[in-house]
């Protein structure tokens, strides 16, 4: 690379991140050049750009998909705090430039090398390609299989022993992940005021952790439904080994296919994000029909206000992690629940508990990297590493 191009890389980084403060990260370029952090102490993270042309394409794209794909396929790596990569993404996306700065950046950008990306030759986790009407039963089933039917063994490397794939509950903040998830299951059962021999339906039951716990500890007759074939097979095997076939079962079924006599209690944990705002009316109507008069429904999922939804919109998440996933603001959720006939008696935020849970998951995933790579390729491992760090 010419000295002129090398100088342009450093000047362009100066110009792009002029208003990013504090400059608590450093960049190491593919040709050995360093762009240092400009704050006291060690940088929070270092961005290693391994391929000529990566910086050029990163600034041209301005969206999160190329930046995330560059990480997934090894064009760039991060040493230190991985969530810093998502902060860079947000900064670049929101960058507003005057005509003078834009002209200067365009001149520097033209001097950058165009080199190829390694993405063409790297093993790839495919992007989700869903067909059919959004949130139709067929398309929802495909979306669920894309995420959850990856590999039971992969998830087992970093989830707790019960395979609970939602936030734990940390009364002191010092619990390990197994203790936090058991606390969470018990918290759910107590909120539902479960009584022996009641009938409980778990909508989107995952690997069956809650239906088994509720049957063992509270003596209920529990039924779970899921669209994931691998979760279904795993849960049925665990129920058999626990000797609970007379008290709980798991079926391959969608919430739109609940055809059974009414239940005493309903619960849905971590499935709500797959419903879609346009289907909320139907979702709550089906839940209301499935409950006996006076029954309780605990609905637990990720939501938030409009600003949260806008911030979390991501082509990366939609393409590689949760296709068709939607975050619905709490006000809309409560309104739709009440229109279906429910009386809202309790609302609680567990956001801080989820942040702790994600830290445990990321740490366990990275600590078990070698075992995880026995079940998925490196690009898939990096998808989950980036997704959970950012979340």
């Amino acid at each position: 690379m010419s000295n002129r191009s090398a100088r342009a890389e450093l000047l362009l980084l100066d110009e792009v991140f002029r208003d990013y403060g504090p400059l608590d990260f450093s960049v190491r370029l593919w040709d050995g050049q360093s762009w240092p952090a400009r704050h006291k102490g060690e940088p929070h993270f270092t961005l290693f750009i391994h391929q000529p042309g990566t910086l050029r394409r990163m600034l041209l794209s301005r969206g999160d998909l190329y930046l995330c794909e560059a990480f997934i396929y090894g064009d760039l790596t991060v040493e230190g705090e991985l969530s810093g990569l998502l902060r860079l993404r947000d900064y670049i996306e929101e960058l507003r430039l005057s005509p003078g700065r834009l002209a200067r950046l365009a001149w520097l950008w033209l001097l950058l090398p165009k080199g190829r990306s390694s993405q063409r030759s790297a093993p790839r986790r495919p992007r989700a390609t869903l067909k059919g009407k959004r949130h139709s039963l067929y398309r929802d089933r495909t979306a669920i299989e894309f995420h959850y039917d990856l590999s039971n063994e992969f998830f087992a490397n970093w989830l707790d022993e019960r395979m609970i794939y939602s936030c734990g509950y940390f009364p002191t903040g010092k619990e390990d992940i197994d203790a936090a998830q058991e606390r969470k299951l018990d918290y759910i059962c107590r909120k539902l005021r479960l009584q022996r021999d009641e009938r409980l339906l778990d909508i989107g039951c995952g690997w069956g952790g809650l239906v088994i716990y509720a049957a063992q500890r509270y003596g209920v007759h529990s039924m779970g439904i899921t669209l994931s074939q691998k979760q279904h097979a795993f849960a049925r095997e665990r129920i058999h080994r626990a000797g609970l076939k007379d008290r709980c079962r798991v079926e391959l079924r969608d919430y739109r296919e609940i055809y059974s006599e009414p239940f005493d209690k309903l619960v849905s944990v971590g499935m709500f994000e797959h419903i879609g705002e346009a289907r909320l009316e139907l979702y709550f109507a089906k839940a209301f029909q499935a409950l006996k008069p006076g029954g309780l429904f605990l609905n637990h999922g990720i939501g938030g206000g409009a600003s949260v939804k806008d911030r979390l919109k991501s082509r990366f998440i939609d393409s590689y992690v949760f296709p068709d996933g939607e975050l619905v603001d709490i006000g809309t959720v409560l309104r739709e629940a009440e229109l279906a006939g429910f009386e809202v008696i309790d609302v609680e935020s567990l956001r801080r508990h989820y942040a702790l849970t994600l830290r445990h998951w990321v740490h366990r995933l990275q600590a078990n990297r070698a075992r995880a790579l026995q079940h998925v390729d490196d690009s898939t491992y990096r998808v989950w590493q980036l997704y959970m760090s950012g979340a």
Side-chain angles (χ1 to χ4, degrees):
M1 187 174 68
S2 69
N3 290 334
R4 191 182 185 196
S5 296
R7 180 66 176 158
E9 287 186 326
L10 300 179
L11 288 173
L12 187 139
L13 288 168
D14 280 338
E15 188 68 34
V16 168
F17 295 109
R18 189 173 75 185
D19 300 320
Y20 185 101
L23 286 171
D24 56 358
F25 69 97
S26 60
V27 180
R28 181 70 60 83
L29 297 171
W30 67 277
D31 57 353
Q33 294 187 98
S34 292
W35 184 80
R38 291 171 173 80
H39 83 125
K40 295 181 180 179
E42 292 294 315
H44 289 170
F45 66 96
T46 298
L47 185 67
F48 289 88
I49 298 179
H50 299 291
Q51 298 289 340
T54 298
L55 183 60
R56 197 176 201 268
R57 287 185 291 271
M58 185 175 79
L59 297 175
L60 179 65
S61 69
R62 291 288 295 275
D64 78 324
L65 188 56
Y66 175 75
L67 185 62
C68 293
E69 286 185 334
F71 173 80
I72 293 168
Y73 299 116
D75 285 348
L76 61 85
T77 54
V78 176
E79 181 180 284
E81 188 181 335
L82 183 54
S83 60
L85 184 64
L86 281 304
R87 289 200 294 275
L88 293 188
R89 173 204 67 180
D90 293 343
Y91 175 82
I92 293 171
E93 282 185 340
E94 296 167 6
L95 196 59
R96 299 294 179 264
L97 302 171
S98 66
R101 283 189 71 192
L102 190 61
R104 177 169 170 76
L105 280 173
W107 174 72
L108 291 169
W109 181 82
L110 288 171
L111 295 177
L112 296 180
K114 297 181 179 179
R116 288 189 172 186
S117 167
S118 60
Q119 295 183 28
R120 296 180 181 179
S121 58
R124 297 182 64 91
R125 171 165 171 78
R127 293 186 190 179
T129 53
L130 306 185
K131 298 180 180 179
K133 186 177 180 181
R134 188 178 178 89
H135 293 303
S136 63
L137 200 156
Y138 169 78
R139 180 162 169 152
D140 278 352
R141 192 183 304 274
T142 305
I144 294 298
E145 289 173 350
F146 179 82
H147 184 95
Y148 296 95
D149 280 358
L150 184 63
S151 163
N152 288 339
E153 293 78 13
F154 171 69
F155 288 105
N157 274 311
W158 46 275
L159 293 178
D160 65 298
E161 61 181 358
R162 287 188 170 88
M163 299 276 282
I164 307 301
Y165 197 19
S166 66
C167 71
Y169 192 70
F170 297 84
T172 69
K174 298 178 181 179
E175 291 80 5
D176 63 23
I177 192 65
D178 290 306
Q181 293 295 10
E182 183 169 340
R183 295 279 186 116
K184 170 69 173 299
L185 295 179
D186 199 63
Y187 196 39
I188 289 171
C189 292
R190 288 188 289 113
K191 281 205 170 205
L192 285 167
R193 304 169 193 170
L194 292 183
Q195 303 296 320
R196 187 172 186 83
D197 292 331
E198 285 187 329
R199 298 182 70 244
L200 169 70
L201 173 63
D202 184 356
I203 304 172
C205 66
W207 289 275
L210 177 56
V211 295
I212 293 173
Y213 184 88
Q216 286 177 327
R217 301 294 180 89
Y218 285 81
V220 302
H221 295 275
S222 53
M223 172 181 168
I225 60 174
T226 177
L227 291 178
S228 165
Q229 296 191 40
K230 291 191 176 180
Q231 288 183 337
H232 175 251
F234 184 95
R236 283 169 59 91
E237 173 60 25
R238 280 207 162 173
I239 290 169
H240 176 75
R241 283 193 278 120
L244 291 170
K245 292 177 69 176
D246 62 328
R247 282 210 166 261
C248 56
R249 70 183 192 274
V250 171
E251 297 184 0
L252 272 173
R253 193 183 295 188
D254 185 76
Y255 73 91
R256 286 159 284 200
E257 301 173 313
I258 302 174
Y259 308 119
S260 181
E261 61 186 78
F263 293 82
D264 298 289
K265 308 288 171 62
L266 259 64
V267 64
S268 178
V269 182
M271 192 280 284
F272 188 68
E273 302 87 342
H274 300 288
I275 299 297
E277 187 169 349
R279 298 285 186 180
L280 286 185
E281 181 180 358
L282 175 62
Y283 171 72
F284 281 115
K286 283 290 185 180
F288 193 81
Q289 293 167 13
L291 264 182
K292 292 180 179 178
L296 287 173
F297 177 28
L298 189 153
N299 187 69
H300 172 27
I302 301 173
S307 62
V308 174
K309 289 199 295 181
D310 290 342
R311 190 167 71 248
L312 293 179
K313 284 179 180 176
S314 164
R315 289 182 63 200
F316 161 62
I317 295 292
D318 199 50
S319 299
Y320 288 98
V321 187
F322 286 117
D324 284 356
E326 293 182 35
L327 302 184
V328 183
D329 65 273
I330 293 172
T332 300
V333 174
L334 299 182
R335 183 180 68 249
E336 292 294 340
E338 289 185 326
L339 288 173
F342 287 103
E343 175 190 359
V344 178
I345 60 172
D346 180 52
V347 178
E348 182 177 3
S349 169
L350 298 180
R351 182 186 65 78
R352 290 174 176 82
H353 296 269
Y354 218 148
L356 284 172
T357 305
L358 284 158
R359 291 192 185 106
H360 278 278
W361 285 348
V362 171
H363 175 77
R364 289 162 65 88
L365 174 66
Q366 293 175 161
N368 293 316
R369 181 177 183 274
R371 283 193 292 175
L373 291 176
Q374 294 176 12
H375 306 291
V376 298
D377 61 36
D378 190 63
S379 65
T380 301
Y381 169 86
R382 286 170 179 253
V383 166
W384 257 259
Q385 185 187 22
L386 183 59
Y387 143 62
M388 293 195 297
S389 296

